Amino acid sequence: MNKKHRIFIAINLSNDIKKQLDKYKDKWPELPAKWTAKDNLHITLEFLGDLTEEELGEVCLVVGDVVKRHNIFSISLDNVSYSEGDRMVWVKGGKSDELSDLKKDLQECLLERVAFRPELKSFSPHITLARINQWEWKKIEPEERPEINENIEIIFTVESIEVMESELKKGGPRYMVIESHSLGE
């Protein structure tokens, strides 16, 4: 049987930025949430799902080709907030033409070579900090729930994108870089 790999394409963050974002779990210790492990913080460009070895090879080739057409760019992270509908604590980033162009190029090229369902809604960069336990959250009186809405100012340079694998484990997912591809100058 052909082993399947749970694959996504991501922008990884520097250790410095991961440390800054990881501190938010100390800011809201009463929040009934499962916090994302510091080493797993990233921006997902495209979730591809379960792929065969052959499909994974195609993805790596596509990503390698696409990044050659895109230059290094910057992303700004500007807000930490809670999304009621998604039950998540997010770090949200500002719109970026370079990022949008890269994502569109990736989607178009991947669709030619790999079967997956691209997200159709408009993309804005975000990082999942925590998943709220809805059962516990509902037990907290609305006026006693912590206010999670903070403006931040973090700007970083994106120099590469990575093809990542997610292994689901008892303690939570473990993410591994399959290939890293550097953007042009």
Side-chain angles (χ1 to χ4, degrees):
M1 186 167 132
N2 200 352
K3 182 180 187 289
K4 295 274 191 165
H5 302 272
R6 189 173 161 85
I7 301 298
F8 63 99
I9 300 169
I11 295 170
N12 279 308
L13 309 172
S14 70
N15 285 331
D16 181 47
I17 292 173
K18 287 179 181 183
K19 283 180 194 172
Q20 288 179 58
L21 298 177
D22 192 52
K23 290 179 183 175
Y24 281 98
K25 68 182 169 198
D26 299 329
K27 182 168 181 135
W28 298 294
E30 73 284 5
L31 195 63
K34 179 170 175 40
W35 291 87
T36 302
K38 180 181 72 163
D39 291 338
N40 283 353
L41 295 171
H42 67 278
I43 296 172
T44 300
L45 292 175
E46 204 63 59
F47 178 75
L48 302 174
D50 294 325
L51 303 180
T52 64
E53 291 276 339
E54 185 179 319
E55 290 169 323
L56 176 55
E58 287 291 321
V59 167
C60 290
L61 290 172
V62 167
V63 173
D65 288 343
V66 168
V67 296
K68 292 174 188 170
R69 296 191 292 267
H70 297 271
N71 294 324
I72 292 170
F73 61 95
S74 293
I75 291 180
S76 65
L77 303 175
D78 48 27
N79 183 265
V80 176
S81 60
Y82 168 66
S83 169
E84 186 80 43
D86 295 315
R87 302 179 189 134
M88 305 279 186
V89 177
W90 309 96
V91 176
K92 295 180 183 174
K95 296 280 185 194
S96 161
D97 290 340
E98 295 92 348
L99 180 58
S100 295
D101 291 346
L102 173 63
K103 182 170 171 55
K104 183 177 181 223
D105 196 3
L106 270 172
Q107 275 187 342
E108 289 172 357
C109 292
L110 285 166
L111 280 169
E112 292 174 8
R113 312 255 295 265
V114 181
F116 78 103
R117 290 188 195 141
E119 278 192 32
L120 299 176
K121 61 183 180 182
S122 71
F123 177 75
S124 65
H126 62 275
I127 300 160
T128 303
L129 285 184
R131 288 173 169 73
I132 303 290
N133 177 320
Q134 275 308 108
W135 179 254
E136 295 296 321
W137 181 254
K138 287 179 181 177
K139 289 182 186 178
I140 303 170
E141 292 296 327
E143 63 275 0
E144 293 182 19
R145 292 177 182 162
E147 176 69 26
I148 304 170
N149 188 8
E150 185 170 314
N151 291 329
I152 61 174
E153 213 173 297
I154 299 174
I155 298 172
F156 67 96
T157 302
V158 177
E159 297 179 2
S160 66
I161 62 172
E162 283 73 38
V163 177
M164 307 281 294
E165 181 170 6
S166 171
E167 282 188 351
L168 302 177
K169 303 280 188 184
K170 273 189 177 179
R174 191 178 102 203
Y175 301 151
M176 296 156 300
V177 175
I178 302 293
E179 278 191 7
S180 182
H181 296 272
S182 297
L183 293 162
E185 297 296 318

